[in-house]
Amino acid sequence: MKPTDEQLAMWGKTFVPPLDIFFVKEEIVKDLACHLDQVLLMPREEFNEHTSYKQILYANSYEYWNVSEEGTFVIVAHPEWVTSLPHDVLEKLLQLQIELERGLVYPIEIFEDVHLFPLEYIVRWKEKQYVVFQGKMWCQLTSEVKNAALLAIANEWEIVTEQDITIELPDHLNKYANTYATTGGSNCLSSTLYAVRGVEWRLHEWVHPRTFIAGIVRAGYERLSMNEEPYHSGDIIVWENSDGVVQHASYHIKDDLFFNKNGQTFFNAWRIIRGEDLRKVWSDYAAVIYRKVEGS
């Protein structure tokens, strides 16, 4: 399974957002004081509520959900800003993005030819080297280098199997099974709803947990009081955290094979996946079954 050339071209346009975002610790703000005249510096709480930066484009690329809470301030900058920083300041800032687990940071070993990346964006942290992608740097790369980088990153996001699982599927699932999305946004919940109802436009939306549960209940599903295996064809498996909040959902086709999407980025493909692989990924959460009521 590989993204198409058209998808790679679209990914290349949105992989790095229009503005650079850096998460920083409070004590680092003082060290950067003389370099902040051309940026927006805001408290993390204010940033989290900012309409512009809550867009899927920014959230997916910078992986907000992974960023450490130690990053209590956020710098929003024009892509040219990093070129004005002294080398030692830039290096410390990029190292901090690695430490705080911001997105657009990848270990150098996943790329075949690292010499094609500008050296100032290859940073060492705790005995490992990483490539930290930023707007200015991304614009400097050729289309060929961008495509190679995107393919390498896509391989990091997905469960690696020797070959795609192919089975007979309903037409609406067959259209998307074992393919990548062109844009970010579609998540596991919209994908599972699509498997149930086949409403195509909803497949590409980012659906939230309460909306999802309400949707499958309207489709005639009810939660089982006890987990029953083997699963029935058409069962929905939902993984919840200790507070009962939905973390993931997947649609059981048959024979422990699922129509699944593991996240909301375009690197997360719609895949036919074995239940054993799915359960490994989500083993930290409690699995519950929703089953369609007969006659509904």
Side-chain angles (χ1 to χ4, degrees):
M1 180 183 66
K2 289 178 61 177
T4 65
D5 291 342
E6 292 77 12
Q7 286 175 325
L8 286 172
M10 287 296 295
W11 291 5
K13 294 177 182 178
T14 59
F15 173 59
V16 180
L19 294 172
D20 284 348
I21 290 177
F22 302 93
F23 294 85
V24 295
K25 299 177 182 179
E26 185 172 4
E27 59 267 27
I28 301 299
V29 173
K30 297 176 184 177
D31 297 336
L32 291 169
C34 62
H35 303 289
L36 299 177
D37 288 346
Q38 303 297 318
V39 305
L40 288 175
L41 174 68
M42 59 186 77
R44 179 81 171 268
E45 296 84 0
E46 192 168 288
F47 172 82
N48 289 342
E49 298 304 317
H50 199 295
T51 304
S52 296
Y53 311 125
K54 288 169 71 174
Q55 296 177 63
I56 289 173
L57 170 67
Y58 284 95
N60 279 354
S61 291
Y62 290 111
E63 298 176 43
Y64 292 166
W65 58 90
N66 280 334
V67 180
S68 168
E69 293 182 1
E70 292 184 30
T72 52
F73 283 84
V74 182
I75 294 171
V76 180
H78 187 278
E80 294 284 348
W81 177 67
V82 294
T83 65
S84 70
L85 298 177
H87 176 75
D88 61 326
V89 174
L90 175 60
E91 183 178 42
K92 289 179 181 177
L93 183 61
L94 297 183
Q95 285 175 331
L96 188 56
Q97 305 318 295
I98 302 168
E99 179 186 352
L100 296 178
E101 300 185 75
R102 194 206 73 178
L104 294 180
V105 175
Y106 292 93
I108 200 168
E109 62 264 20
I110 75 170
F111 304 106
E112 289 187 5
D113 193 351
V114 298
H115 299 96
L116 298 174
F117 298 127
L119 283 176
E120 58 266 35
Y121 299 98
I122 299 175
V123 182
R124 181 175 293 276
W125 173 253
K126 290 188 175 180
E127 306 305 318
K128 287 188 66 175
Q129 285 188 302
Y130 297 84
V131 180
V132 183
F133 291 94
Q134 300 296 150
K136 180 67 174 179
M137 171 263 220
W138 187 246
C139 289
Q140 292 174 337
L141 303 179
T142 66
S143 296
E144 291 75 14
V145 174
K146 287 180 180 178
N147 288 351
L150 291 168
L151 283 172
I153 293 167
N155 287 333
E156 285 295 292
W157 278 79
E158 277 300 325
I159 297 171
V160 177
T161 56
E162 291 185 5
Q163 60 184 21
D164 295 329
I165 300 169
T166 55
I167 59 172
E168 187 174 347
L169 294 168
D171 288 344
H172 73 293
L173 294 185
N174 192 56
K175 181 177 180 179
Y176 288 98
N178 300 321
T179 67
Y180 285 97
T182 300
T183 59
S186 174
N187 65 355
C188 64
L189 304 184
S190 61
S191 300
T192 303
L193 268 180
Y194 173 73
V196 171
R197 286 294 203 186
V199 180
E200 190 161 10
W201 74 267
R202 295 195 310 197
L203 173 65
H204 305 285
E205 297 299 301
W206 188 337
V207 172
H208 288 253
R210 288 166 59 188
T211 303
F212 168 73
I213 294 297
I216 62 175
V217 169
R218 283 196 302 273
Y221 280 77
E222 64 178 19
R223 182 183 179 122
L224 300 188
S225 57
M226 295 180 63
N227 282 351
E228 298 178 11
E229 294 189 33
Y231 303 133
H232 291 191
S233 178
D235 279 356
I236 294 170
I237 315 303
V238 174
W239 283 265
E240 299 175 341
N241 66 13
S242 57
D243 295 322
V245 178
V246 175
Q247 303 298 302
H248 187 67
S250 194
Y251 179 83
H252 180 242
I253 303 164
K254 63 178 181 179
D255 300 331
D256 207 34
L257 295 174
F258 290 79
F259 180 75
N260 183 73
K261 193 174 192 290
N262 268 339
Q264 68 273 5
T265 78
F266 46 62
F267 293 126
N268 299 116
W270 293 292
R271 299 193 75 164
I272 306 303
I273 187 173
R274 292 184 177 87
E276 60 184 294
D277 294 327
L278 191 57
R279 288 185 285 273
K280 285 177 186 175
V281 173
W282 299 99
S283 60
D284 290 341
Y285 303 100
V288 296
I289 300 171
Y290 282 79
R291 182 165 293 162
K292 193 170 179 65
V293 178
E294 290 186 18
S296 63

